[in-house]
Amino acid sequence: MKVFVYNTTQEASEKAYDVFENAYNNGANVFGLATGSTPEGLYSEIIKSDIDLSNCISINLDEYYGLDKNHPQSYNYYMYDNLFKHKPFKKSYVPNGMNKDAEDEVRKYNQIIDEHPIDFQLLGIGVNGHIGFNEPGTPFELRTHLVELTPSTVEVNSRFFDSIDEVPNQAYSMGIADIMAAKEVLLMAFGEAKAEAIKALIEGEVSEDVPVTCLKNHTNVTVILDQGSASLLSK
Ligand code: F6R
């Protein structure tokens, strides 16, 4: 695992762009993407660059159950607004939160991943160590599934909504098995709230109680941190 710590999120996002561009230059064509605050700087760097993603495929990690793709807090909308409208991919996949038939949505999404094996997977990390929406206790062998979000995740994510009651408490998420199958993984984490989960990733044991620790078993992982998320590391 390669770990880099930066003083500012801007420097960290520039480094993340270098890692992304390097993967692209080495032939990566299918990019697994994440939403949230953390990758916003990376997406700005991608937009500023002259990289051409129009022959590439993107597959997002997750989507809230019950939110339409035009809902301003949906991950479909986030991706359109933060990246795709500026830098289109040949084809972009995000789960369909409006598909109430979970079995059907899961089958379709797993088929998409099977048809487009992920070369490069971008990840943020939850305060509780979740990746995608794989909450603590999720079996590592699961693929895409409908998740019950933990109260802590609902609370953390309520900052994007007018009130906590509007936050969906379920989401479709790729599973840990899908994330682990990616050829390369880039994880970004900013802020002290992530420090415990990052310590568990870098210095702890592999445990389903802290989903991100699965990455200790992946052979090509880069971790990009700021001082806050690195603050509990012993060296
Ligand atoms: C989002 C996702 C989540 C976030 C995590 C951190 O697609 O999969 O795992 O990466 O919740 O979110 P932020 O970056 O908002 O702190």
Side-chain angles (χ1 to χ4, degrees):
M1 199 177 323
K2 288 171 281 207
V3 181
F4 299 91
V5 183
Y6 291 92
N7 285 326
T8 65
T9 55
Q10 176 58 30
E11 288 170 274
S13 300
E14 287 167 15
K15 171 66 182 177
Y17 177 76
D18 290 345
V19 175
F20 181 92
E21 189 189 36
N22 194 44
Y24 174 87
N25 288 337
N26 285 325
N29 181 255
V30 181
F31 292 87
L33 298 179
T35 63
S37 317
T38 311
E40 283 174 3
L42 167 59
Y43 292 152
S44 298
E45 293 301 313
I46 292 174
I47 292 165
K48 275 198 292 189
S49 76
D50 54 13
I51 199 168
D52 177 9
L53 299 172
S54 63
N55 279 317
C56 297
I57 303 284
S58 69
I59 305 182
N60 259 78
L61 282 165
D62 42 18
E63 176 60 289
Y64 287 118
Y65 182 78
L67 291 197
D68 182 77
K69 65 179 185 341
N70 297 315
H71 188 289
Q73 301 312 335
S74 75
Y75 289 171
N76 272 276
Y77 186 81
Y78 169 105
M79 290 308 303
Y80 170 74
D81 203 37
N82 284 283
L83 187 61
F84 300 153
K85 77 178 178 199
H86 309 281
K87 196 62 103 171
F89 285 68
K90 181 164 100 185
K91 183 88 185 134
S92 287
Y93 298 99
V94 183
N96 173 11
M98 293 306 280
N99 188 352
K100 295 287 163 73
D101 182 344
E103 216 174 290
D104 179 58
E105 188 58 24
V106 162
R107 186 181 47 72
K108 284 181 179 154
Y109 216 63
N110 283 336
Q111 193 177 336
I112 289 165
I113 299 166
D114 289 343
E115 284 168 7
H116 307 285
I118 296 171
D119 295 311
F120 180 93
Q121 179 65 56
L122 173 65
L123 297 174
I125 180 174
V127 171
N128 62 7
H130 73 214
I131 49 175
F133 271 138
N134 294 284
E135 299 282 34
T138 306
F140 283 173
E141 63 274 14
L142 274 195
R143 297 200 57 197
T144 306
H145 57 293
L146 182 64
V147 177
E148 298 292 325
L149 299 177
T150 62
S152 92
T153 295
V154 170
E155 197 187 318
V156 169
N157 288 3
S158 67
R159 71 192 191 279
F160 297 114
F161 291 79
D162 289 338
S163 90
I164 195 164
D165 303 331
E166 289 177 28
V167 188
N169 45 26
Q170 290 178 303
Y172 288 117
S173 179
M174 271 187 207
I176 300 277
D178 301 303
I179 292 168
M180 289 297 284
K183 293 197 191 96
E184 176 175 357
V185 175
L186 168 61
L187 182 133
M188 301 172 72
F190 299 149
E192 274 178 30
K194 310 288 175 69
E196 282 208 20
I198 289 300
K199 188 177 173 65
L201 167 63
I202 295 172
E203 297 177 2
E205 302 293 320
V206 176
S207 162
E208 289 179 352
D209 294 339
V210 190
V212 71
T213 60
C214 69
L215 297 178
K216 295 178 89 77
N217 290 330
H218 195 291
T219 53
N220 190 359
V221 178
T222 303
V223 179
I224 295 184
L225 307 174
D226 69 350
Q227 297 290 348
S229 61
S231 59
L232 292 178
L233 297 178
S234 37
K235 46 191 165 20

